[in-house]
Amino acid sequence: MEGENATNTDPAGPWTLVVPLKPLARAKSRLAPVAGADLRPRLALAFARDTVTAALSCRAVRDVVVVTDDTEAGAALAALGARVVPDEPDSGLNAALAHGERTVRAERPGAALAALNADLPALRPAELARVLDYSAAFPRAFVTDAAGIGTTFLSAAPGVELRPAFGGSSRARHLDSGAVEIVLAGIDSVRQDVDTGHDLRAALALGVGPHTAGRWAAGVCSPDR
């Protein structure tokens, strides 16, 4: 937490972010009451585009690896500059993240890496940089979602296993695993993932990226539905 003594005084250096994305047809199922069957996958892709765009614009980020089997999403995110690898395990979120970690460290064993949710449409590069800079002082660290239950970000220093435990009450699991919870002011955009209409309203209030804003401006959905 903020003010806690660092356990590693050497900065980790440029970061690789691993971003998992399930096939769009299955993504963001809890937005169905808001968006409907047609818009829901397009919103999921817009969220991912804004997340990856912001991440690649962050000064602390070396590269972004997206783990997905969705060809449309893969092509769109590769066009932004992300590296896309197939979700070969196809065994859920944490397996996808572990696969991304193995892929990165097979090529760069000393990489500092972090898992980042793909549904952070309000993500700001400067806020992400603050989180990454702070994370560099610890073997593993994480950011709790805006609801205070889940996790949007988990880091692992060079030589440290990521050990992702995302999904549901992941804050408690990451705490139990020994990861340090990052409690910094002014990182709301790193915490605000979008699963529900309430989450979408909160993200819009923060200010979403151009891809999500474009969907919104088109008037094809309302988070108040």
Side-chain angles (χ1 to χ4, degrees):
M1 288 180 284
E2 190 170 12
E4 182 171 342
N5 290 333
T7 57
N8 180 3
T9 57
D10 293 327
W15 292 82
T16 291
L17 302 187
V18 179
V19 178
L21 180 63
K22 66 173 63 175
L24 297 177
R26 304 201 311 264
K28 298 291 118 190
S29 59
R30 292 168 63 192
L31 278 179
V34 171
D38 292 334
L39 179 60
R40 178 180 50 78
R42 288 184 285 160
L43 276 176
L45 179 55
F47 297 163
R49 281 174 164 164
D50 285 329
T51 300
V52 169
T53 297
L56 288 170
S57 299
C58 176
R59 60 168 174 77
V61 173
R62 170 186 173 130
D63 54 1
V64 173
V65 174
V66 174
V67 182
T68 188
D69 275 339
D70 192 288
T71 55
E72 178 187 0
L77 299 174
L80 296 175
R83 177 184 176 187
V84 178
V85 300
D87 184 4
E88 292 177 351
D90 192 21
S91 298
L93 175 61
N94 292 307
L97 287 169
H99 173 57
E101 176 185 12
R102 288 191 299 270
T103 299
V104 171
R105 286 188 164 156
E107 300 173 357
R108 294 171 48 233
L113 59 84
L116 184 71
N117 283 9
D119 59 350
L120 300 170
L123 184 64
R124 289 172 170 78
E127 294 184 14
L128 178 59
R130 291 189 64 221
V131 168
L132 290 167
D133 289 347
Y134 191 78
S135 298
F138 302 95
R140 293 169 64 246
F142 72 97
V143 172
T144 303
D145 65 11
I149 298 171
T151 305
T152 60
F153 168 97
L154 174 68
S155 68
V160 178
E161 290 186 4
L162 187 61
R163 297 170 59 195
F166 285 78
S169 302
S170 60
R171 174 183 179 268
R173 291 195 297 275
H174 285 134
L175 278 173
D176 288 344
S177 75
V180 172
E181 183 174 10
I182 300 172
V183 182
L184 291 171
I187 60 167
D188 290 348
S189 75
V190 187
R191 300 183 64 215
Q192 188 58 66
D193 56 353
V194 176
D195 289 315
T196 67
H198 173 79
D199 297 334
L200 182 55
R201 287 193 296 273
L204 289 166
L206 283 175
V208 296
H211 299 287
T212 304
R215 289 294 180 195
W216 175 255
V220 291
C221 77
S222 168
D224 296 312
R225 278 176 54 186

